[in-house]
Amino acid sequence: MKKSTKRIIAIALAVVMIAGAFAACTAGNNGGTTDSKVYKVGICQLVQHEALDAATQGFKDALVATLGEGNVEFDEQNAAGDSATCSTITNGFVANGVDLIMANATPALQAAAQSTTTIPIVATSVTDFGTALGIDDMGAATGINVTGTADLAPLSEQAAMFTELCPDAKTIGILYCSAEANSVYQAEVIAEELVALGFETKSFTAADTNDIATVTKTACDECDALYIPTDNTMASATATIEPIVSDANIPVICGEEGICKGCGFATLSISYYSIGYKAGEMAADILQNGTDPATMDVKIPAREDLVMKYVADRATALGITVPEGYEAIDMTAE
């Protein structure tokens, strides 16, 4: 065989080998940059409701888009609103050696942080990370194995909505779960904001869903309008709250869209899918690049990501004219 022929064959074989290696590296990649490792990710979601479900979906979508569907394995578990179950779930993740824990909501984050100081934790749907973790004067990063995305809209702007939408109200009731640390934080802050605007405030707390109907009826009897913060217990019980406030003709402004859709009439809300997606991108950075979560800034919603929304039928029933700048919530959307 001539030398030139041997050389052509050798070049052709090299091209085939390179192409095969490239195909092997990209197999299972749906557009993201991946390696051959299959990452195990444990997801602990506090309770099932619209906002947290959207955050979990956004998180999963971001990881699959970045790592490739074949390169991430999710162990998704729901605690059905019980903090002790969150601990059982996150301890199980640690025992199973997951590569990363996603904690959806404050009690899930608190449980995960108690379960491990070494496995990276990315949390979402957390109002204030410092309050949740007991960190005083927390900077942009936690300094421990935790990072993630917050769900807090500006409470001062939510308070100002009462002046705009309920100008005749004198007493505002704040309805929340006393067992949720971040709900307590929101209630305290917005009470100060409302008082500064000239309103009287009263707090009405429920320890769990069993108390909500009674507490809501009392709040409606004693107040002209209600505020419900981003509260997981209340979010899971909007079907209980809605007929009570509707019968009493009491306007409810809410901390997020899911609760507003369930029992309120107006909100300044974020997209929970978006904050979940951002948390997924942060998780991918940790898994792929080895970035230390202790050094990663906790992400808070940008003002341009916040939208003033309202439920048209409820506003009409309450006799409230919603000004321009509010977007009607699609009540038919899943």
Side-chain angles (χ1 to χ4, degrees):
M1 184 181 293
K2 294 182 178 180
K3 289 184 178 180
S4 59
T5 303
K6 290 181 179 179
R7 184 177 182 185
I8 292 171
I9 293 172
I11 292 172
L13 287 171
V15 170
V16 170
M17 291 174 67
I18 292 170
F22 179 80
C25 287
T26 58
N29 180 8
N30 294 335
T33 302
T34 70
D35 53 35
S36 59
K37 179 177 175 61
V38 177
Y39 297 99
K40 295 189 294 183
V41 176
I43 296 175
C44 178
Q45 180 173 319
L46 173 63
V47 68
Q48 184 175 9
H49 64 69
E50 183 175 334
L52 298 190
D53 291 349
T56 291
Q57 190 61 55
F59 177 84
K60 292 165 65 178
D61 287 351
L63 270 183
V64 169
T66 307
L67 303 178
E69 188 169 1
N71 294 310
V72 58
E73 178 183 298
F74 295 108
D75 182 356
E76 184 177 348
Q77 299 190 42
N78 193 295
D82 184 64
S83 297
T85 303
C86 286
S87 296
T88 301
I89 291 170
T90 56
N91 285 335
F93 290 157
V94 174
N96 292 333
V98 298
D99 297 298
L100 181 140
I101 296 172
M102 188 277 239
N104 193 350
T106 298
L109 168 58
Q110 291 170 325
Q114 287 292 320
S115 295
T116 179
T117 58
T118 55
I119 296 173
I121 300 167
V122 177
T124 190
S125 312
V126 174
T127 301
D128 181 77
F129 277 71
T131 299
L133 297 169
I135 300 175
D136 294 330
D137 301 322
M138 192 188 89
T142 65
I144 58 176
N145 61 317
V146 175
T147 190
T149 54
D151 65 356
L152 182 62
L155 293 171
S156 60
E157 293 186 41
Q158 290 184 346
M161 293 171 70
F162 284 95
T163 301
E164 182 174 52
L165 299 172
C166 309
D168 296 329
K170 303 298 182 185
T171 303
I172 309 298
I174 304 171
L175 182 62
Y176 64 99
C177 176
S178 56
E180 296 190 32
N182 276 323
S183 296
V184 175
Y185 167 81
Q186 291 173 83
E188 291 173 349
V189 173
I190 202 160
E192 294 176 359
E193 297 287 349
L194 288 167
V195 168
L197 292 171
F199 295 104
E200 179 185 352
T201 66
K202 291 186 176 183
S203 292
F204 300 87
T205 64
D208 54 43
T209 55
N210 296 323
D211 301 330
I212 289 176
T214 301
V215 170
T216 302
K217 288 176 183 176
T218 303
C220 289
D221 289 340
E222 298 182 12
C223 301
D224 305 308
L226 298 181
Y227 173 77
I228 302 177
T230 56
D231 182 295
N232 294 294
T233 303
M234 298 299 163
S236 64
T238 57
T240 299
I241 299 169
E242 196 281 328
I244 298 171
V245 297
S246 179
D247 289 346
N249 204 40
I250 295 292
V252 182
I253 292 177
C254 305
E256 57 95 1
E257 182 177 346
I259 300 176
C260 186
K261 191 173 179 180
C263 65
F265 91 98
T267 184
L268 174 63
S269 184
I270 64 168
S271 164
Y272 275 79
Y273 180 87
S274 295
I275 65 169
Y277 199 95
K278 172 58 69 175
E281 292 178 328
M282 297 170 79
D285 187 22
I286 292 167
L287 293 172
Q288 277 194 324
N289 304 321
T291 303
D292 184 358
T295 67
M296 299 173 72
D297 290 352
V298 169
K299 306 296 183 184
I300 60 174
R303 184 59 186 83
E304 57 267 24
D305 295 331
L306 299 167
V307 183
M308 294 185 297
K309 295 190 174 185
Y310 73 106
V311 177
D313 289 347
R314 292 190 189 129
T316 300
L318 290 163
I320 296 174
T321 300
V322 177
E324 292 185 4
Y326 284 78
E327 176 185 314
I329 295 173
D330 182 1
M331 297 296 286
T332 64
E334 293 294 331

